[in-house]
């Protein structure tokens, strides 16, 4: 069976396109109980962007601090219950922020129409009904969360996405001006998520002409942004990074991620390490699997003097390392793609533990 994926319905791209958001929302204002819910990264509170949010009287604008923890099932359930109780069913939910806010907007859109806790829907195609109209406005680029069909949530038992066709945004507004203020380290770590998506998507059995075309273009853009003569945080590169993130996301959607993401999930689940940072920590030591990619990655680290710690595993207990290796091992789709269908004959939990000990 070949994958059959739904894409975003409408996309606007360009510097300043954020100012079109009001017009885009206007035709949706009569839906449901006639108010909009904006979920916005706390970073923008009291910043100029906050005063440009096209909210009207009756709308709800929620600023959310994404640095406390990654989005949780409890947080989504509470937000949904609070809004339904106080105001009813919104016409739309608009997420303005990074991967965390994208996931919150996608998840809450689904949970407005699906009963019970979001923990019931963590997995593939468990969601019963379409959510409400939802719009993504990314303000940091790399995860591809703006195009993916999953909303990753951490629950009491698992970190797993609400994954189905209805998760995909109805509309995305790509305004590269919005990513100009991203701090340099985050620009790098989150940007590297897309670079790693492409390297992993390309190096595995599920790679195909379709995923390859997206990865090839995204990698070309990443090289211009992070290595080329004109590399760095410039308006031109911000345009490119937004597109690279989207294409990297599409590449992995039609292929798969690999060893780095398998390790990264272990680091996030057991140590609470943030996704993009964890990827960088792991990828730095995966030259056996991705020799050219890791070599180029190291060049980019040097070029931008990025602080990437090593020797972290000295501080980890054997139990933690085994727990991380077990989380990784239990992502068979990633190992299958990266190593091949006989991966279980080639990779054991002990081998994965040895990879964690390199970090
Ligand atoms: P993020 O949303 O966690 O934000 C990272 C930091 O950047 C935060 O401090 C935030 O306040 C700040 N920030 C965001 N925009 C800014 C701006 N314009 N200026 C200044 N600061 C800004 O970052 P992320 O790396 O994009 O997202 C990580 C999350 O994405 C994780 O929770 C991960 O699980 C999730 N994720 C989801 C998918 C998916 O397909 N759904 C894929 C990969 C990762
Ligand atoms: Zn990723």
């Amino acid at each position: 069976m070949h994958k059959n994926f739904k894409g975003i319905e409408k996309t606007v791209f360009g510097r300043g396109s954020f100012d079109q958001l009001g017009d885009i929302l206007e035709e949706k204002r009569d839906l449901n109980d006639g108010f909009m819910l904006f979920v916005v990264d706390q970073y923008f509170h009291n910043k100029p962007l906050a005063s440009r949010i096209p909210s009207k009287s009756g709308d709800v604008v929620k600023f959310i601090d994404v640095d406390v923890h990654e989005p949780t099932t409890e947080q989504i359930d509470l937000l949904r219950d609070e809004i339904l109780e106080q105001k009813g069913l919104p016409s739309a939910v608009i997420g303005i922020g990074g991967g965390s806010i994208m996931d919150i907007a996608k998840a809450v859109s689904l949970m407005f129409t699906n009963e019970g806790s979001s923990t019931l829907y963590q997995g593939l195609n468990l969601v019963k009904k379409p959510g409400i109209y939802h719009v993504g406005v990314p303000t940091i680029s790399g995860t591809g969360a703006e195009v993916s069909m999953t909303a990753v949530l951490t629950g009491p038992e698992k970190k797993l996405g609400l994954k189905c066709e209805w998760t995909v945004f109805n509309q995305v507004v790509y305004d590269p001006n919005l990513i100009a203020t991203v701090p340099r380290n985050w620009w790098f770590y989150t940007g590297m998520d897309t670079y790693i998506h492409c390297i992993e998507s390309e190096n595995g059995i599920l790679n195909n002409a379709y995923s390859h075309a997206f990865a090839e273009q995204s990698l070309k853009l990443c090289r211009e942004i992070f290595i080329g003569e004109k590399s760095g945080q410039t308006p031109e590169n911000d345009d490119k990074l937004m597109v690279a993130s989207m294409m990297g996301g599409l590449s992995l959607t039609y292929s798969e991620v690999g060893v780095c993401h398998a390790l990264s999930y272990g680091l996030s689940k057991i140590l609470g390490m943030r996704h993009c940072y964890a990827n960088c920590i792991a990828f730095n030591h995966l030259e056996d699997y991705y020799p050219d990619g890791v070599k180029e990655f190291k060049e980019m680290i040097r070029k931008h003097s990025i602080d990437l710690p090593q020797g972290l595993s000295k501080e980890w207990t054997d139990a933690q390392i085994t727990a991380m290796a077990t989380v990784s091992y239990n992502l068979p789709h990633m190992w299958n793609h990266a190593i091949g269908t006989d991966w279980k004959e080639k990779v054991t939990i002990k081998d994965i533990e040895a990879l964690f000990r390199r970090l």
Side-chain angles (χ1 to χ4, degrees):
M1 281 289 281
H2 296 284
K3 294 180 181 177
N4 188 7
F5 279 117
K6 180 169 174 287
I8 295 164
E9 283 157 27
K10 289 184 127 185
T11 299
V12 50
F13 172 86
R15 287 182 228 163
S17 60
F18 183 76
D19 294 329
Q20 287 168 239
L21 181 60
D23 287 345
I24 290 169
L25 296 178
E26 208 45 48
E27 61 183 72
K28 306 291 174 190
R29 283 198 169 269
D30 293 335
L31 297 175
N32 305 325
D33 292 320
F35 71 98
M36 299 280 164
L37 170 63
F38 294 87
V39 286
V40 186
D41 191 310
Q42 175 73 33
Y43 168 81
F44 295 107
H45 191 57
N46 292 329
K47 298 277 192 319
L49 187 77
S51 59
R52 292 168 55 207
I53 294 173
S55 58
K56 291 191 171 175
S57 143
D59 291 350
V60 179
V61 181
K62 281 250 167 223
F63 288 96
I64 299 177
D65 186 349
V66 299
D67 290 329
V68 202
H69 51 64
E70 290 193 335
T72 66
T73 50
E74 191 190 6
Q75 178 184 23
I76 298 300
D77 298 348
L78 282 172
L79 177 61
R80 183 245 342 242
D81 294 345
E82 179 195 308
I83 299 290
L84 283 179
E85 199 183 300
Q86 293 173 0
K87 305 269 317 179
L89 187 63
S91 311
V93 51
I94 303 98
I96 304 174
S100 304
I101 292 284
M102 295 296 105
D103 284 347
I104 292 172
K106 292 197 276 189
V108 81
S109 149
L110 294 169
M111 293 313 300
F112 272 121
T113 51
N114 287 274
E115 276 138 44
S117 165
S118 49
T119 53
L120 298 170
Y121 307 106
Q122 284 179 288
L124 179 62
N125 292 333
L126 300 178
V127 175
K128 304 274 187 293
K129 296 179 203 159
I132 63 168
Y133 176 83
H134 52 307
V135 180
V137 184
T139 66
I140 175 170
S141 292
T143 65
E146 67 280 10
V147 283
S148 77
M149 57 183 291
T150 185
V152 183
L153 297 182
T154 304
E157 280 163 31
K158 49 197 171 195
K159 177 177 172 180
L160 194 62
L162 311 187
K163 189 170 182 185
C164 70
E165 287 200 359
W166 299 314
T167 312
V168 182
F169 280 116
N170 299 99
Q171 166 86 55
V172 173
V173 175
Y174 290 102
D175 182 343
N177 283 346
L178 303 189
I179 69 173
T181 50
V182 171
R184 199 172 53 95
N185 268 16
W186 278 109
W187 166 78
F188 188 85
Y189 300 139
T190 300
M192 280 303 108
D193 196 23
T194 203
Y195 179 79
I196 296 168
H197 289 159
C198 295
I199 297 291
E200 292 188 304
S201 161
E202 290 278 77
N203 289 282
I205 60 172
L206 296 175
N207 185 31
N208 57 71
Y210 196 95
S211 57
H212 168 65
F214 287 116
E216 188 175 49
Q217 182 62 28
S218 176
L219 284 170
K220 176 174 173 282
L221 293 168
C222 285
R223 288 179 183 123
E224 291 169 13
I225 301 159
F226 294 105
I227 311 182
E229 269 170 42
K230 294 185 177 165
S231 72
Q233 274 180 294
T234 63
E236 291 72 26
N237 284 340
D238 289 344
D239 290 359
K240 292 176 185 173
L241 187 52
M242 282 207 134
V243 179
S245 170
M246 178 265 284
M247 291 188 137
L250 292 176
S251 179
L252 84 86
T253 297
Y254 292 96
S255 173
E256 190 47 85
V257 287
V259 179
C260 181
H261 274 71
L263 299 189
S264 165
Y265 271 68
L267 292 167
S268 292
K269 177 76 195 158
I270 305 301
L271 304 177
M273 209 182 263
R274 308 284 293 257
H275 177 78
C276 302
Y277 179 68
N279 277 343
C280 290
I281 294 286
F283 196 65
N284 204 20
H285 297 277
L286 291 178
E287 53 278 341
D288 297 356
Y289 295 92
Y290 307 110
D292 298 340
V294 174
K295 188 163 165 258
E296 198 165 61
F297 172 79
K298 291 188 176 186
E299 244 176 87
M300 299 192 246
I301 293 264
R302 267 196 304 276
K303 175 128 196 166
H304 299 285
S305 313
I306 297 296
D307 171 31
L308 194 63
Q310 305 199 38
L312 295 174
S313 63
K314 287 200 291 286
E315 309 293 324
W316 303 336
T317 64
D318 289 346
Q320 280 178 317
I321 290 175
T322 304
M324 289 192 276
T326 308
V327 172
S328 292
Y329 189 81
N330 287 326
L331 294 163
H333 49 295
M334 298 183 192
W335 295 103
N336 175 66
H337 168 63
I339 312 291
T341 49
D342 58 348
W343 69 272
K344 284 196 173 171
E345 289 156 33
K346 296 181 175 156
V347 180
T348 63
I349 294 206
K350 284 271 164 274
D351 297 329
I352 304 177
E353 286 179 1
L355 291 178
F356 278 106
R357 286 184 202 284
R358 288 185 191 178
L359 311 185

